Amino acid sequence: DTEVTQTPKHLVMGMTNKKSLKCEQHMGHRAMYWYKQKAKKPPELMFVYSYEKLSINESVPSRFSPECPNSSLLNLHLHALQPEDSALYLCASSQDFTPAGTTDTQYFGPGTRLTVL
Amino acid sequence: AQKVTQAQTEISVVEKEDVTLDCVYETRDTTYYLFWYKQPPSGELVFLIRRNSFDEQNEISGRYSWNFQKSTSSFNFTITASQVVDSAVYFCALSEGNTGFQKLVFGTGTRLLVSP
């Protein structure tokens, strides 16, 4: 079962609002990712958590705040966003530790379509 | 530096036609992995295949087939007898190394439109 779930599916927020995106996986994966995807563009990596620790932050503005409460959950807290932050936010997970000679495939959730007014 | 090029921005075909999506990559590593993902209008990225740099065997899965050629740094994807449900954006991606989590480098994607 390769399922990653994300809530909500759609979110509309004002620039002064605080909201959170949620991601969950039950595949026993130890790496979780947040991507941002603008229309007609490929996904852009934002953050990577490995074993519940932030391992990569791709110079993302502080108005985006990730959190990994446990190995199955990943949140993205949003505050004081700008209209240009409107995008599809994708969560992914992967096994992380793999035997030598194999690789780590990322499985994606359905995404949250965010609109900032 | 790693780079993935998908030169075809958009392809339109009629149902039952065969279609090939091109992917050319650049990397300095000898160990790397190539992926194809499908993104239908709903938005989810669906994993289709991965291939490691040491395995140049072509792969077939139903109507899908992949042609990996290290000599030309290409990993092309062919859909045989296309169907309307194949309409989506297809991304080719590259990662390096073979342990731990991976950073994916995506191509810009090819939008495939299959009309009845």
Side-chain angles (χ1 to χ4, degrees):
Chain A
D1 184 14
T2 54
E3 187 177 72
V4 177
T5 58
Q6 290 186 243
T7 55
K9 286 189 176 181
H10 301 273
L11 178 62
V12 179
M13 60 185 291
M15 289 189 284
T16 58
N17 293 157
K18 287 185 180 181
K19 297 287 184 181
S20 297
L21 309 184
K22 297 185 184 300
C23 174
E24 190 168 5
Q25 57 87 14
H26 294 288
M27 295 178 278
H29 289 174
R30 302 310 299 267
M32 296 187 77
Y33 310 72
W34 279 116
Y35 287 85
K36 174 182 178 180
Q37 186 179 22
K38 301 284 278 185
K40 299 189 177 183
K41 297 288 186 180
E44 297 176 12
L45 183 65
M46 300 174 71
F47 303 103
V48 181
Y49 273 83
S50 175
Y51 289 81
E52 298 155 53
K53 292 185 179 178
L54 184 63
S55 297
I56 294 179
N57 177 342
E58 295 285 89
S59 302
V60 178
S62 59
R63 58 185 183 269
F64 295 91
S65 176
E67 178 196 20
C68 190
N70 60 56
S71 59
S72 300
L73 290 173
L74 185 66
N75 298 322
L76 186 63
H77 303 298
L78 314 173
H79 173 54
L81 294 192
Q82 304 297 311
E84 58 264 29
D85 296 321
S86 298
L88 178 67
Y89 288 84
L90 292 161
C91 174
S93 71
S94 67
Q95 191 174 2
D96 196 337
F97 178 78
T98 56
T102 65
T103 192
D104 198 30
T105 297
Q106 294 181 32
Y107 296 93
F108 287 80
T112 294
R113 291 194 183 273
L114 174 67
T115 302
V116 182
L117 300 177
Chain B
Q2 303 174 79
K3 185 179 178 182
V4 176
T5 300
Q6 294 180 257
Q8 303 152 309
T9 304
E10 188 166 316
I11 301 175
S12 293
V13 299
V14 177
E15 218 172 10
K16 298 185 183 177
E17 285 186 28
D18 298 347
V19 58
T20 295
L21 309 182
D22 297 333
C23 173
V24 174
Y25 62 92
E26 296 176 30
T27 178
R28 294 180 184 174
D29 239 11
T30 56
T31 301
Y32 54 89
Y33 294 84
L34 296 162
F35 301 80
W36 277 95
Y37 285 88
K38 173 184 180 180
Q39 188 172 39
S42 59
E44 179 176 359
L45 274 165
V46 178
F47 165 69
L48 296 178
I49 190 172
R50 73 165 181 254
R51 173 66 70 217
N52 75 52
S53 51
F54 300 108
D55 182 3
E56 288 193 71
Q57 277 194 327
N58 291 331
E59 182 155 339
I60 298 174
S61 176
R63 297 184 297 107
Y64 295 170
S65 61
W66 290 269
N67 183 1
F68 176 31
Q69 293 197 340
K70 285 178 76 171
S71 60
T72 56
S73 297
S74 65
F75 186 42
N76 296 337
F77 172 30
T78 297
I79 301 174
T80 303
S82 59
Q83 299 176 2
V84 173
V85 293
D86 296 327
S87 297
V89 179
Y90 291 85
F91 290 99
C92 182
L94 166 72
S95 70
E96 292 179 344
N98 64 354
T99 58
F101 66 83
Q102 303 294 317
K103 285 184 69 172
L104 286 175
V105 175
F106 285 93
T108 50
T110 297
R111 182 176 301 274
L112 175 64
L113 178 60
V114 182
S115 53

